[in-house]
Amino acid sequence: MRFPSFPDPARPSRADRRLPRPRRALLAGLLLVLAVPTAARAEEPAPSPEPAPSSPRELVVSFGYRTWFEKTRDNGAVGNMGYTLLHGPILGLGYRRWGLSVTYLQGGTSFRGIEQGGDTQAASALEATVDREDVDVALSYRLLDFLRPFVGYKYVHAPTVVKSSAAAEWTSLDQAESYGGPSFGVNALFRPFKDDRFFVSGTFLYGPLKVRSEEKLHRPDGTTQTSTSDTYSVHGLSWDVSAGCALGHGLTATAGYKTQRVRRNTDVGVGPEDVNGPFFALLYSF
């Protein structure tokens, strides 16, 4: 490698003759000032990553935990069934514009209600225990920077045990309903603030689900009547709105409100029609 020779201090170079020393010092100081912000920007940490569904990186793996305080309203006798805490893991995989996510929630609750009798029947007290498993699988594509349509599969399993008062024609009912079928929806994510760590999001989902219900009716005389309904269809709708913040180091926190609604095509079967409540999620992406 060839190194430049140093000029004799007693003999100024041509460059020294063209540019006086005070101006050279001023120019060197100006270049130093301009260079400092560039070096600082190079040493700044990268911006906090977006949530996994919108991350621009080649490959994103994410996992986290979600809780949903859902409030169920039945279309039948028991009416308002109170809040149930559903909770479970979230797993996600993103590659370029594609994303795959799996969410599993489970929980249960107990409540008391009143069975509304018919014209010749008096109302009777009910005590019920409800368990619930809720699974969502979604394959999404980032069509625009803020818009991501998806297709997937929805599964809900809800076993219920209902105990009636002695005045009723039956003492207890064991029922298990299972919902399953394809789902279609869209997710939109916006960053309305100058600080892009904050975002708001909304999701809408529709699914034509098939339902299978099994019942065991226990009577006061000790006999049991078992029935299995034919598979029938329901229209499943779900939507939510949320706000979130990228906390840094791959962590994202989200809070929002979600509603699920089921509309039946037949009068077969009983069970919850509307489920809604606040949810919270914490996601780590890398």
Side-chain angles (χ1 to χ4, degrees):
M1 178 180 295
R2 183 177 181 182
F3 295 91
S5 58
F6 292 93
D8 186 353
R11 183 181 179 183
S13 64
R14 294 182 180 180
D16 292 337
R17 290 196 297 270
R18 289 195 302 266
L19 186 61
R21 291 183 180 275
R23 294 185 181 179
R24 289 168 53 202
L26 180 61
L27 179 59
L30 180 60
L31 292 177
L32 179 61
V33 171
L34 293 177
V36 169
T38 303
R41 286 194 298 268
E43 295 175 359
E44 288 178 355
S48 300
E50 299 178 5
S54 302
S55 178
R57 290 174 289 180
E58 286 289 315
L59 180 64
V60 177
V61 178
S62 58
F63 61 90
Y65 208 78
R66 179 171 177 146
T67 60
W68 182 23
F69 296 91
E70 57 97 351
K71 188 176 184 179
T72 302
R73 183 172 180 80
D74 192 282
N75 66 330
V78 296
N80 193 338
M81 296 164 62
Y83 281 98
T84 303
L85 173 61
L86 300 179
H87 54 92
I90 309 171
L91 300 176
L93 181 65
Y95 181 72
R96 295 185 178 179
R97 289 182 174 268
W98 293 94
L100 178 66
S101 64
V102 180
T103 303
Y104 172 79
L105 302 178
Q106 63 87 27
T109 188
S110 297
F111 63 93
R112 294 184 178 184
I114 299 296
E115 179 188 16
Q116 303 296 335
D119 296 336
T120 61
Q121 296 178 348
S124 58
L126 297 177
E127 183 179 346
T129 301
V130 181
D131 294 318
R132 180 183 173 94
E133 292 178 299
D134 199 313
V135 181
D136 285 284
V137 180
L139 176 65
S140 62
Y141 180 78
R142 181 159 51 87
L143 187 63
L144 301 173
D145 288 341
F146 65 92
L147 194 64
R148 184 179 285 270
F150 61 87
V151 296
Y153 186 82
K154 175 78 175 181
Y155 175 78
V156 177
H157 180 60
T160 304
V161 177
V162 181
K163 295 182 179 180
S164 177
S165 65
E169 296 182 356
W170 51 274
T171 57
S172 64
L173 170 68
D174 299 335
Q175 180 189 42
E177 282 192 332
S178 298
Y179 301 72
S183 59
F184 312 90
V186 62
N187 170 265
L189 186 145
F190 302 94
R191 301 184 183 276
F193 307 110
K194 185 176 181 180
D195 189 342
D196 63 0
R197 294 178 301 169
F198 299 93
F199 61 90
V200 293
S201 177
T203 303
F204 177 81
L205 178 148
Y206 166 75
L209 307 178
K210 297 292 185 180
V211 181
R212 182 177 178 83
S213 177
E214 297 181 356
E215 298 179 355
K216 288 184 178 181
L217 190 65
H218 304 279
R219 301 187 182 278
D221 59 4
T223 60
T224 300
Q225 178 183 347
T226 302
S227 63
T228 301
S229 70
D230 295 332
T231 302
Y232 59 96
S233 299
V234 298
H235 296 289
L237 299 174
S238 174
W239 59 90
D240 66 66
V241 292
S242 62
C245 176
L247 305 177
H249 304 288
L251 285 176
T252 302
T254 306
Y257 196 87
K258 179 178 180 179
T259 297
Q260 285 185 353
R261 177 167 295 177
V262 174
R263 289 294 175 260
R264 304 176 186 274
N265 294 337
T266 73
D267 294 332
V268 180
V270 297
E273 290 281 341
D274 298 308
V275 180
N276 53 71
F279 67 87
F280 307 92
L282 187 64
L283 193 68
Y284 176 69
S285 303
F286 60 93

